[in-house]
Amino acid sequence: MALTATIYRVSVELAHIDRGVYETIDLRLARHPSETLDYMATRLLAYCLEYTEGIALTDGVSSGDEPAIIVRDLTGKLTAWIEVGLPSWERLHRGHKQAGRAAVYTHRGITQVLGELNGHGIHRAADIPIVELDRGFVTAFGESLDRRSTMSLSVTEGTLYVDVDGRHLESQLTIHRLTP
């Protein structure tokens, strides 16, 4: 018998002061059986941090050739390719060329991520932000999520503040750049 995805419903009060984005978001997030809690938590954080009109979560680890998060304009044209974890350099290259903008959000060791992605001739590699999320923060955030959660997320001066059902967490957002 095949395992099915676990559905999380998350209500988010978003205040991304650094970008001037203020929204209330109701998300339905499917966690695939092979997806770790840390990966799902990073995917949720990346969605909130990238939030804009036209943003959508894909099927996550089971999405095949799509990234974890995509952004499309009103015509349906792909405008952003957002990866989570440690994507292959080929996939990141293809996605960045196709969308014109790409980003990676990772909870993995930054040395490993940069080592895997640097030096491969990725399309406009230096334009791709690699956002490092503290592993302990991501784990604590993921463990705070219930299948129905209410949270507030704010970003100011590069610091991420999250309250999940009364539990307060904070972390610095560290941005790295790739080398061609």
Side-chain angles (χ1 to χ4, degrees), residues 4-12 25-33 35-41 43-44 47 57 139 141-151 164-165:
T4 60
T6 303
I7 305 300
Y8 287 77
R9 295 180 189 272
V10 184
S11 177
V12 182
I25 308 165
D26 288 314
L27 282 173
R28 192 167 170 252
L29 195 67
R31 179 179 172 203
H32 190 272
E35 184 176 17
T36 67
L37 186 58
D38 283 355
Y39 183 91
M40 187 199 73
R43 198 162 51 100
L44 173 57
Y47 180 92
L57 291 163
T139 298
F141 172 65
E143 290 171 350
S144 298
L145 292 172
D146 290 324
R147 291 191 49 198
R148 290 189 183 269
S149 294
T150 301
M151 64 180 267
V164 182
D165 295 326

Side-chain angles (χ1 to χ4, degrees), residues 44-59:
L44 173 57
L45 291 168
Y47 180 92
C48 293
L49 293 169
E50 289 285 333
Y51 189 80
T52 190
E53 187 174 323
I55 194 167
L57 291 163
T58 65
D59 290 334

Side-chain angles (χ1 to χ4, degrees), residues 74-105:
L74 294 174
T75 67
K77 180 183 176 218
L78 185 64
T79 60
W81 182 280
I82 314 300
E83 292 280 4
V84 170
L86 178 56
S88 71
W89 70 267
E90 297 96 343
R91 185 174 153 125
L92 188 58
H93 170 76
R94 185 179 68 252
H96 194 208
K97 274 185 91 168
Q98 186 178 356
R101 180 178 172 279
V104 176
Y105 287 80

Side-chain angles (χ1 to χ4, degrees), residues 97-157:
K97 274 185 91 168
Q98 186 178 356
R101 180 178 172 279
V104 176
Y105 287 80
T106 190
H107 58 285
R108 295 178 175 234
I110 197 63
T111 304
Q112 178 189 9
V113 173
L114 294 175
E116 292 286 329
L117 297 176
N118 277 329
H120 288 288
I122 296 172
H123 179 70
R124 294 186 358 246
D127 294 344
I128 302 172
I130 309 299
V131 182
E132 177 186 7
L133 298 168
D134 178 76
R135 182 71 180 245
F137 168 83
V138 170
T139 298
F141 172 65
E143 290 171 350
S144 298
L145 292 172
D146 290 324
R147 291 191 49 198
R148 290 189 183 269
S149 294
T150 301
M151 64 180 267
S152 65
L153 183 147
S154 60
V155 179
T156 184
E157 296 180 8

